Amino acid sequence: MTVTEGAPRGVIPTQLLKGQKALVTGANSGIGKATAIGLGRAGADVVVNYVAGREEAEEVVREISGFGVRAAAYEADVSREDQVVAMTERMVQEFGTIDILVANAGLQRDAPFTEMTAAQWQKVLDVNLTGQFLCAREATKEFLRRGVVPEVSRAAGKIICMSSVHQVIPWAGHVNYASSKGGVQMMMQTLAQELAPHRIRVNAVAPGAIRTPINRSAWDTPEAEKDLLRLIPYGRVGDPEDIAHAVVGLASDLMDYVVGATLYVDGGMTLFPGFATGG
Ligand code: BGC
């Protein structure tokens, strides 16, 4: 069977996050971009964080503004403490508060193990793990300061960590990336446990193979895509909107009782597809 259709479009309820203020890191491309747009479509005001690529970030802001909500592009390197502090302070000043943090910014620096430099290891840990820690910490300070505002949301704040199927699937040639996402899993669960009594919900979305620039070589030729599909029981490569929909749902009060969960959005990649015929 050939299945070619992608993520369903236009299914987001437009008032779901009305009045909420969302910060999405790494929101000028890929999953972050689709997520920022999805949150805007759902009625949230959105800060579009980026570290390089101002034009793309401004483009995302224009698209979100088209939904009649507020949006702005903020430059900050999530791995730098001073920049994260400045970004969250600026958001509180200009938008009033933060209700939703999507800690999304992430990157890959792939290399076989013995060729991986300490700089490649460190860069990926700095952005993918320390970056999420810093953004979560600063957002949490604002959630605690403000507390629950029942007209806005049942929770004082929502943090959604962008993880990966590689928080549980080992990945040869990507030890830095897989280690960072394994770290994200335990960070998310620990924060969820620590912050739940304050009515702060911390959860993660773990994407599988999504059509974005980070993994272009895995899907941009027919041969590569065919190889990739062997790992995906559902028979299609994911679209960024598939992830955006999961984030919007988790951020909303529809999922108010979901705390410390990882939602795998992977077309079944974590189901050990090799065992469909082997074992
Ligand atoms: C990685 C992609 C990869 C996917 C599935 C993601 O977390 O960033 O490069 O295609 O996992 O392996």
Side-chain angles (χ1 to χ4, degrees):
M1 184 181 60
T2 316
V3 183
T4 51
E5 80 276 14
R9 308 284 160 140
V11 295
I12 295 179
T14 55
Q15 304 290 304
L16 195 59
L17 300 175
K18 195 171 176 315
Q20 303 204 40
K21 321 288 177 192
L23 169 60
V24 185
T25 64
N28 57 332
S29 77
I31 287 173
K33 173 180 174 178
T35 298
I37 292 169
L39 292 165
R41 195 186 288 279
D45 297 323
V46 185
V47 169
V48 174
N49 158 261
Y50 67 100
V51 65
R54 186 186 175 80
E55 254 318 295
E56 290 81 359
E58 294 294 354
E59 186 53 46
V60 176
V61 165
R62 274 192 290 279
E63 186 161 350
I64 295 172
S65 304
F67 304 131
V69 297
R70 212 173 139 200
Y74 288 6
E75 181 183 340
D77 178 342
V78 296
S79 69
R80 294 274 307 273
E81 185 170 24
D82 54 340
Q83 296 187 28
V84 172
V85 170
M87 172 171 68
T88 48
E89 280 177 3
R90 180 177 169 197
M91 180 164 174
V92 172
Q93 261 167 30
E94 295 181 357
F95 283 72
T97 193
I98 307 172
D99 299 287
I100 299 163
L101 166 68
V102 185
N104 166 77
L107 44 74
Q108 289 181 215
R109 293 287 183 271
D110 311 328
F113 183 45
T114 54
E115 288 162 32
M116 186 174 286
T117 63
Q120 286 173 318
W121 169 266
Q122 198 59 50
K123 179 77 180 170
V124 171
L125 269 291
D126 283 351
V127 174
N128 295 13
L129 186 56
T130 305
Q132 292 205 15
F133 158 74
L134 291 170
C135 293
R137 191 189 66 191
E138 293 312 303
T140 298
K141 289 180 189 167
E142 172 57 15
F143 301 158
L144 294 173
R145 184 198 64 77
R146 176 182 28 75
V148 176
V149 179
E151 310 78 61
V152 174
S153 174
R154 299 184 69 181
K158 281 86 59 165
I159 296 173
I160 290 133
C161 298
M162 199 53 67
S163 189
S164 164
V165 291
H166 297 296
Q167 70 172 20
V168 292
I169 302 180
W171 202 15
H174 307 77
V175 68
N176 48 1
Y177 185 84
S179 302
S180 74
K181 295 302 185 179
V184 164
Q185 176 178 28
M186 190 46 74
M187 182 186 74
M188 180 280 287
Q189 290 177 308
T190 299
L191 295 183
Q193 186 196 66
E194 186 166 338
L195 300 176
H198 302 283
R199 285 292 164 92
I200 295 169
R201 294 197 295 117
V202 187
N203 291 287
V205 171
I210 308 299
R211 232 179 265 281
T212 72
I214 207 174
N215 61 354
R216 183 174 299 281
S217 62
W219 50 261
D220 75 346
T221 64
E223 305 75 55
E225 182 165 352
K226 191 162 166 256
D227 259 8
L228 184 58
L229 286 175
R230 273 200 269 274
L231 300 174
I232 309 173
Y234 202 57
R236 71 171 170 87
V237 178
D239 289 316
E241 288 73 19
D242 288 306
I243 306 306
H245 295 164
V247 172
V248 167
L250 272 176
S252 80
D253 280 1
L254 287 174
M255 307 234 178
D256 185 58
Y257 207 50
V258 180
V259 174
T262 294
L263 180 52
Y264 288 91
V265 185
D266 67 352
M269 190 176 247
T270 39
L271 298 174
F272 299 95
F275 280 80
T277 50

